[in-house]
């Protein structure tokens, strides 16, 4: 069995590790900003359009090395959007149109982003904390 020594076994990630990796990824906030923009750009609505610039900034901060802080800001703004979008009632038949499916996908992504970003923020370490240890 000489061949089995050189192979590396793939480790299984737990759900917490998967959500944390999701929260530290810069792509989900960018996708969320794109979906929010697609919903509220035409016809233009000013209040929901405050979310895309903040979410794009969190992706930028994440790419600059501030993974923990970017994940926390992204989780907070995703939760805020989920709260505000969940308050609006939508008739049953409009849930199955293009706008309804986009809204459902946006709210689902907000939920996953909120959980993943929250885990990444609470369990993450900052660079200055790692230097002290």
């Amino acid at each position: 069995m000489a061949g089995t020594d050189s192979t590396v076994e793939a480790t299984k990630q737990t759900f917490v590790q998967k959500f944390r990796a999701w929260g530290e990824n810069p792509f989900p906030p960018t996708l969320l900003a794109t979906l929010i923009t697609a919903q509220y750009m035409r016809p233009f609505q000013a209040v929901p359009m405050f979310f895309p610039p903040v979410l794009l900034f969190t992706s930028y901060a994440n790419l600059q090395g501030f993974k923990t802080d970017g994940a926390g800001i992204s989780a907070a703004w995703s939760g805020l959007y989920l709260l505000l979008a969940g308050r609006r009632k939508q008739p049953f038949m409009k849930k199955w149109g293009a706008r309804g499916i986009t809204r459902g996908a946006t709210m689902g992504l907000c939920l996953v982003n909120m959980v993943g970003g929250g885990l990444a923020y609470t369990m993450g370490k900052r660079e200055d904390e790692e230097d002290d240890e």
Side-chain angles (χ1 to χ4, degrees):
M1 289 260 166
T4 58
D5 294 336
S6 63
T7 61
V8 178
E9 291 183 26
T11 59
K12 293 185 178 180
Q13 289 185 334
T14 64
F15 284 115
V16 174
Q17 291 171 335
K18 287 182 182 180
F19 275 117
R20 183 177 176 194
W22 178 276
E24 291 177 349
N25 192 349
F27 181 67
T30 305
L31 180 62
L32 186 59
T34 304
L35 289 173
I36 291 172
T37 303
Q39 286 182 324
Y40 298 108
M41 184 60 87
R42 196 168 178 185
F44 185 77
Q45 296 176 8
V47 175
M49 289 302 288
F50 285 124
F51 290 92
V54 175
L55 292 168
L56 291 174
F57 172 74
T58 62
S59 294
Y60 175 74
N62 194 337
L63 290 172
Q64 294 301 318
F66 300 101
K67 291 184 183 270
T68 304
D69 298 324
I73 296 169
S74 175
W77 280 81
S78 295
L80 182 62
Y81 179 81
L82 185 63
L83 179 74
L84 292 176
R87 291 183 49 148
R88 188 181 68 188
K89 299 297 178 200
Q90 190 172 19
F92 181 74
M93 289 307 292
K94 289 192 176 183
K95 289 181 182 181
W96 303 108
R99 291 182 74 97
I101 292 172
T102 305
R103 180 176 182 255
T106 304
M107 292 178 70
L109 185 60
C110 279
L111 181 66
V112 173
N113 201 20
M114 183 179 67
V115 171
L119 281 173
Y121 183 73
T122 57
M123 297 174 61
K125 289 188 176 182
R126 292 184 177 82
E127 292 177 6
D128 57 342
E129 291 176 359
E130 291 175 0
D131 293 339
D132 293 340
E133 294 176 2

